[in-house]
Amino acid sequence: MARAWSALVGGTSVVIGFSGWLLAFAGAAEPPSSQFVSNGGFEQGLQAWRATGDVRLETNRPLAGKISVRLGPGPGSLTQRFQIGSGNPLTFSALVETEKTNGWTVALRFLDHDGHEVLGVSTSDGLERDKRDARQFRHYMQAHPLTESIEIDIAKDPSPGTLLVDDVRLDMPDENAANLPPACDLDEAMQPFWRGRRVSHEAVLMVSHDGEPAAGRLLFQPTRILSVQDYGLVTNYLPATDYILHGRTLICPASSRMSQVRAEDLPKGELAWPTVGGQQVMVSYEHDDRWDHPAPEFAGDGLPVVLGKLKSRAPITVVAYGDSITHGLGESRLSRIRPFLPPWPELVVGQLKRIYQDDAIRLYNSAQSGADSTWGARYAQSMVASLHPDLVIVAFGQNDFWGIPARVFADHIAQIIQTVRKENARAEFLLVSPLRFDPAYSTNAQYWQLVGEYGAGLKALTGPGVQFIDMTKLSEWVYAAKRAKDCMNDPLHPNDYFARWYAQSLVAALSPESEPPEPPSAQPAHLKPRQTADSR
């Protein structure tokens, strides 16, 4: 997740691009990638391509390999269509060089099961030129959820000049691999952390400082440890041998087999990027402490249409729309490590199906890594409204704090709501504020302030059919009791532990099972919220 970049350049050779940075995770296996374009280098001539008009092979001055394709000077086109799955991001790339012409287009058309176009991007709408390379262009994006096939169209109009094309590719990593079943009990994982006397699989990063034994803190003080396991829930650690419990703190003795991190080895400095996902241990325990902050609440009358459909078991469509956190980056299934926890929107819908005993709840995840609220407003029609949702989960912000003012952010979210309601006036919304980034990530007070202002702006948009989930405050409260790195895969993305906070909070808003917590007792000091300045 990072800032997007683009630039326009002149000249005869062009590069078209869009950046959505994908992050590599420590301990994560590289997802297998499929390349869908046949004969994209034209080494087999025009095989697999449909060519019309003035199209010929170029062997005297190819852009790559032995053969390129030249379009022009008359009108001509190249087209290839292929089947593709949805649910994963893709990168489209090609080498393009022009000679004395602006009359050309490169386009991607996303087609549904019936061959109808559900999304299109082209050089005239969405594909942007970039000056980093004189010939290479690259476009990263999320496929529309209804995509079954993609058509690549490269065309030259009757105006003078020619277009040279080579090395056309479309790569899609199997990132959101639904074929990796969870190696944990999802019903147990979805028991709210703030309710009851038992915590399942709380993440703790065991960190040593200056040669001292590695240690990590729990959210509550245990009365009984049920298990301490590795992140993948395979290895069971033993008391005294692998850990010692002192109050809320776990300590590694010299004989410990537990994963440990030396503070001195973590990257430091402004915007340093420590990736600690998969290195935490997972602790299950019983406790007598109570969660003494406001708990996520049942929306009730705030979402009358959705709740009415859920209670009557009517078909319902949910669209999750946001950035890489909503896509699921940081969680173990996308990191391809055990226990393969699904992205949190899937956890939400899975629990709703269980609670309401209704399998007719459909989820589309339209989130895109690298996206900010500007992208969200721009693509709300094609990526959300076209799916005719009953409920839209809107969760942007983690790419916005680089510089989008809070007022503009709120305007973008309001535009998303308006766009969807033009198609379905009865659509309802859950607006999710961004979690706090790791306070060690940046000392720029403006970034921290903007994240807080985004939450306030979202809350101001609430009303009938629009409700608010405050993950910003929840993350502050959790960070006050634990390290941020306990909860994170990296400075911006939650790990399985905090992703479950997301899922549990949204289920609470949609389920009457989310009863208020027991009356608070005297608040333990470690659960009192810190001031923002102190937490930084």
Side-chain angles (χ1 to χ4, degrees):
M1 182 174 294
R3 287 168 283 189
W5 47 262
S6 64
L8 293 174
V9 297
T12 58
S13 294
V14 298
V15 52
I16 306 166
F18 174 85
S19 80
W21 293 3
L22 292 178
L23 305 173
F25 300 113
E30 186 72 19
S33 183
S34 297
Q35 209 297 105
F36 289 89
V37 179
S38 297
N39 188 31
F42 304 104
E43 297 303 301
Q44 286 78 50
L46 294 176
Q47 179 180 319
W49 291 92
R50 185 172 74 250
T52 61
D54 193 355
V55 178
R56 62 186 186 276
L57 300 177
E58 172 62 64
T59 57
N60 293 329
R61 195 174 61 86
L63 296 179
K66 297 180 179 179
I67 303 175
S68 295
V69 167
R70 184 177 296 276
L71 288 76
S77 68
L78 275 174
T79 304
Q80 185 173 150
R81 181 183 294 191
F82 40 84
Q83 296 296 117
I84 194 169
S86 60
N88 287 295
L90 59 88
T91 299
F92 173 67
S93 60
L95 289 170
V96 174
E97 188 171 271
T98 63
E99 294 179 355
K100 300 178 181 180
T101 183
N102 292 318
W104 61 278
T105 59
V106 176
L108 298 179
R109 299 176 60 233
F110 294 79
L111 311 174
D112 66 12
H113 177 74
D114 298 317
H116 298 141
E117 184 173 329
V118 292
L119 177 65
V121 291
S122 70
T123 50
S124 59
D125 180 24
L127 294 175
E128 297 177 339
R129 304 185 183 193
D130 194 298
K131 64 182 181 181
R132 293 203 316 163
D133 188 304
R135 302 176 305 168
Q136 178 77 48
F137 79 79
R138 192 178 302 273
H139 183 81
Y140 167 84
M141 66 183 300
Q142 185 78 14
H144 187 281
L146 296 180
T147 302
E148 295 235 352
S149 62
I150 291 179
E151 186 170 274
I152 299 172
D153 292 311
I154 304 168
K156 162 75 176 55
D157 68 14
S159 62
T162 62
L163 178 72
L164 201 61
V165 180
D166 206 338
D167 199 19
V168 182
R169 296 181 59 87
L170 193 145
D171 295 284
M172 175 180 279
D174 189 14
E175 185 179 77
N176 195 2
N179 62 334
L180 295 175
C184 59
D185 185 327
L186 295 185
D187 288 338
E188 181 181 7
M190 286 298 293
Q191 295 304 307
F193 291 109
W194 60 85
R195 195 168 65 211
R197 293 291 184 269
R198 175 173 173 151
V199 172
S200 294
H201 304 143
E202 178 181 330
V204 181
L205 186 67
M206 306 299 289
V207 182
S208 66
H209 296 266
D210 300 322
E212 294 295 318
R217 292 190 299 273
L218 296 166
L219 185 64
F220 302 105
Q221 180 163 328
T223 55
R224 184 164 73 104
I225 295 289
L226 302 175
S227 67
V228 180
Q229 298 173 289
D230 68 333
Y231 194 82
L233 309 180
V234 174
T235 302
N236 290 287
Y237 297 119
L238 303 175
T241 300
D242 295 306
Y243 67 89
I244 298 169
L245 178 65
H246 182 71
R248 290 190 304 122
T249 301
L250 289 178
I251 302 170
C252 288
S255 57
S256 179
R257 298 170 295 159
M258 297 202 302
S259 176
Q260 303 172 40
V261 174
R262 295 195 330 146
E264 297 78 16
D265 294 335
L266 293 172
K268 296 176 179 61
E270 190 70 7
L271 306 185
W273 196 261
T275 305
V276 294
Q279 299 183 61
Q280 294 90 351
V281 297
M282 309 301 280
V283 187
S284 298
Y285 60 96
E286 295 173 350
H287 64 91
D288 288 333
D289 291 341
R290 293 179 177 140
W291 177 258
D292 288 300
H293 302 296
E297 297 179 347
F298 177 49
D301 294 338
L303 300 173
V305 176
V306 169
L307 268 299
K309 288 190 173 186
L310 287 171
K311 291 175 183 176
S312 65
R313 299 183 186 176
I316 183 171
T317 296
V318 180
V319 175
Y321 194 46
D323 49 38
S324 57
I325 292 176
T326 309
H327 179 59
L329 284 179
E331 293 166 65
S332 54
R333 194 173 85 193
L334 266 71
S335 299
R336 304 185 74 84
I337 59 174
R338 287 179 60 95
F340 308 123
L341 191 77
W344 60 262
E346 292 184 31
L347 295 176
V348 172
V349 170
Q351 283 299 106
L352 294 179
K353 289 180 177 181
R354 181 192 66 80
I355 292 167
Y356 291 98
Q357 299 182 356
D358 183 9
D359 284 334
I361 305 173
R362 175 180 294 176
L363 170 68
Y364 295 116
N365 194 330
S366 291
Q368 174 164 304
S369 299
D372 60 14
S373 63
T374 305
W375 179 92
R378 179 177 183 178
Y379 286 98
Q381 172 61 42
S382 57
M383 296 295 282
V384 184
S386 66
L387 298 167
H388 309 291
D390 301 287
L391 175 67
V392 184
I393 301 168
V394 183
F396 289 95
Q398 204 75 326
N399 287 315
D400 292 78
F401 68 75
W402 303 108
I404 294 181
R407 175 187 56 79
V408 176
F409 175 80
D411 286 347
H412 289 158
I413 304 305
Q415 290 174 41
I416 294 170
I417 296 171
Q418 293 164 7
T419 298
V420 175
R421 282 187 164 170
K422 284 180 182 178
E423 294 281 338
N424 178 11
R426 289 167 60 82
E428 295 182 333
F429 299 81
L430 281 172
L431 309 182
V432 184
S433 66
L435 86 164
R436 288 288 188 187
F437 55 78
D438 185 339
Y441 182 51
S442 175
T443 59
N444 188 322
Q446 182 180 1
Y447 295 161
W448 192 267
Q449 180 179 342
L450 275 173
V451 173
E453 291 175 354
Y454 292 162
L458 293 176
K459 191 172 184 179
L461 293 173
T462 59
V466 181
Q467 296 298 299
F468 175 56
I469 305 293
D470 196 346
M471 295 308 298
T472 309
K473 279 294 183 185
L474 266 175
S475 60
E476 289 177 7
W477 293 328
V478 174
Y479 295 176
K482 297 168 57 66
R483 293 189 185 97
K485 290 180 178 62
D486 293 335
C487 312
M488 307 290 281
N489 181 89
D490 53 61
L492 298 183
H493 297 89
N495 60 14
D496 284 359
Y497 170 63
F498 207 82
R500 288 158 59 203
W501 280 93
Y502 270 84
Q504 292 167 11
S505 298
L506 269 77
V507 170
L510 296 166
S511 168
E513 288 185 358
S514 56
E515 300 172 354
E518 301 173 37
S521 59
Q523 188 179 37
H526 68 275
L527 292 179
K528 294 180 180 178
R530 303 182 202 169
Q531 297 297 319
T532 298
D534 292 341
S535 66
R536 304 213 6 93

